[in-house]
Amino acid sequence: MTLKLLVEVSPQELLQSLAELQNHLLGYVKSMSLKCVVDLGIPTAIHRRGGTATLADIATDTKVHPAKLADLQRVMELLSVSGIFSTTASEDGGAVLYGLTTTCRFLVGWRNLSPMVPFLANPLVVSSFFSMPDWLRSEPAPAGAGSLFELAHGCSQWEMGSKDAEFSSALNNSRAADNQLFLEVIIFDKGRIFRGMNSLVDVGAGKGEGTKIIAGAFPRIKCTVMDLPHIVGQDADGTGHDNLQFIAGDMFQSIPSADAVVLKNVLHDWGHDDCVKILQRCKEAIPARNVGGKVIIIDMVRGSANGDRKITEMEAIQNMYMMYTNGVERDESEWKRIFSDAGFSDNYKIMPVLGPYSVIEIYP
């Protein structure tokens, strides 16, 4: 096949195709390099120096061994050409200055996403994908494993979290960072969705880090965090928020009554039938629409790329990633079927926040 390609395509196209293949084969090196710089605190070190730093500055601030300076340079070079850091020549023409791109700025400062990196690059998560061929050939649950994670590790992600404190911490810290940042964006851009209500239940909200953003912005709303016992029982703290409480429970069994139920990045973890069950419990918990009852879903709605290859690829990668818990990212038609099967009105609202990341309001 390689000799045939030499005849059929130009040398430039051949080179680009080989480079694309190499980038796929070694794509994990980018993820591991990103995890390395976050673990070392390099983005924060650059941020503290005003936004730019030399390699020597970075090594000093992050305690990299002087003998490993050349290796650090290779890490910085890779993450510069792949869009995490920028490079400029210093005014005196000496050492290169590394800066923070817009992408990297998501990893520094107040409300940043750096805690997501240790979780998404966690060995338990990454090694789940080694089992993909077996997963695709195996019987589905209940005869077989319920997810890639379960096939690789013998239990679900949620069960692993209940018995592995380190993994649970990485998972909860990742969810907290994501919830805090995006709920601030949502309140800034779509804050009207919370107006007029007296109470809400944030289901699957971990230790309530995101719920605290809502409670602080809307002190008149009585906010309840509901999650599994081993999560809300791990030092869940509502200090500073008189309108915040925590309840242990199972969203498949029942949900406390409130004007609204919030589900942020919950439904994408579950298949169609389970999503229907969760939403049916939500419907039982809220009043009629004419007195303000609704469910607020914060999740991805695929199909908003409008020809942008990076957004399309991001949606596909995110959808593929969700396979490790047997979850799925959905387009509008898939969401609509779930809403209908759960007994909700067809008169729902989808409000894009950042591309495919959206707020969806559904009504009983």
Side-chain angles (χ1 to χ4, degrees):
M1 178 58 74
T2 302
L3 291 176
K4 189 177 181 181
L5 284 173
L6 289 171
V7 176
E8 293 179 348
V9 302
S10 69
Q12 182 62 27
E13 183 181 351
L14 198 66
L15 175 60
Q16 290 176 342
S17 299
L18 182 60
E20 185 72 23
L21 178 60
Q22 284 288 99
N23 288 343
H24 275 77
L25 290 172
L26 296 174
Y28 64 90
V29 175
K30 287 198 292 186
S31 298
M32 293 303 106
S33 297
L34 179 60
K35 182 179 184 301
C36 172
V37 300
V38 169
D39 288 348
L40 290 172
I42 288 176
T44 299
I46 295 174
H47 182 60
R48 286 174 177 168
R49 282 185 173 265
T52 59
T54 66
L55 193 70
D57 292 334
I58 293 168
T60 298
D61 292 350
T62 59
K63 297 180 173 56
V64 171
H65 194 285
K68 301 293 177 66
L69 207 61
D71 291 335
L72 176 62
Q73 185 173 16
R74 284 197 276 186
V75 174
M76 298 300 294
E77 179 184 10
L78 171 60
L79 294 179
S80 295
V81 299
S82 57
I84 301 298
F85 299 110
S86 62
T87 57
T88 56
S90 59
E91 293 183 357
D92 58 7
V96 170
L97 291 172
Y98 293 95
L100 307 175
T101 63
T102 302
T103 300
C104 194
R105 288 171 64 186
F106 277 106
L107 302 175
V108 299
W110 184 247
R111 305 282 189 231
N112 70 75
L113 297 178
S114 63
M116 296 182 69
V117 178
F119 172 70
L120 294 176
N122 185 285
L124 287 172
V125 175
V126 175
S127 61
S128 299
F129 288 92
F130 297 167
S131 304
M132 279 203 296
D134 293 336
W135 167 256
L136 292 171
R137 290 171 174 159
S138 64
E139 289 288 329
S147 66
L148 272 174
F149 190 99
E150 185 176 333
L151 183 63
H153 306 297
C155 64
S156 71
Q157 172 183 264
W158 318 112
E159 291 168 330
M160 182 66 76
S162 68
K163 61 186 180 182
D164 185 323
E166 184 177 350
F167 181 73
S168 179
S169 177
L171 171 60
N172 290 328
N173 289 341
S174 175
R175 292 170 66 192
D178 179 67
N179 286 342
Q180 287 175 326
L181 177 65
F182 282 98
L183 276 166
E184 283 206 339
V185 173
I186 288 166
I187 288 172
F188 175 79
D189 188 51
K190 311 289 184 197
R192 62 186 180 277
I193 65 174
F194 298 107
R195 292 181 189 140
M197 66 176 67
N198 295 311
S199 60
L200 66 81
V201 179
D202 198 353
V203 174
K207 297 181 182 179
E209 299 300 332
T211 323
K212 292 173 186 176
I213 305 296
I214 302 173
F218 301 95
R220 293 184 179 179
I221 299 177
K222 179 183 177 183
C223 299
T224 300
V225 173
M226 176 182 162
D227 214 316
L228 297 170
H230 75 271
I231 296 176
V232 297
Q234 290 179 347
D235 303 319
D237 183 13
T239 302
H241 300 281
D242 294 335
N243 58 330
L244 180 62
Q245 65 175 345
F246 293 83
I247 293 179
D250 182 343
M251 63 187 173
F252 288 100
Q253 298 300 319
S254 65
I255 293 171
S257 297
D259 292 338
V261 175
V262 177
L263 297 164
K264 184 184 184 302
N265 288 345
V266 171
L267 296 182
H268 73 169
D269 285 324
W270 303 94
H272 178 98
D273 292 345
D274 284 329
C275 286
V276 169
K277 292 175 185 175
I278 294 167
L279 288 179
Q280 286 173 336
R281 302 293 82 75
C282 292
K283 189 179 179 187
E284 292 167 358
I286 60 176
R289 180 178 183 177
N290 60 3
V291 288
K294 63 183 176 181
V295 178
I296 300 170
I297 299 166
I298 302 168
D299 228 316
M300 179 180 285
V301 180
R302 296 184 65 188
S304 66
N306 296 321
D308 187 312
R309 186 186 173 193
K310 276 191 175 294
I311 303 300
T312 299
E313 184 177 14
M314 181 269 288
E315 289 183 2
I317 289 174
Q318 183 71 19
N319 190 37
M320 186 69 191
Y321 161 72
M322 290 309 304
M323 196 166 77
Y324 98 105
T325 58
N326 207 23
V328 62
E329 302 292 3
R330 299 175 170 92
D331 60 25
E332 182 176 352
S333 64
E334 292 169 305
W335 282 117
K336 184 175 182 178
R337 284 195 296 274
I338 290 172
F339 304 155
S340 177
D341 289 352
F344 282 82
S345 164
D346 287 340
N347 188 22
Y348 56 85
K349 294 179 184 176
I350 295 178
M351 297 166 274
V353 178
L354 287 173
Y357 297 105
S358 302
V359 172
I360 311 172
E361 281 191 354
I362 62 175
Y363 313 98

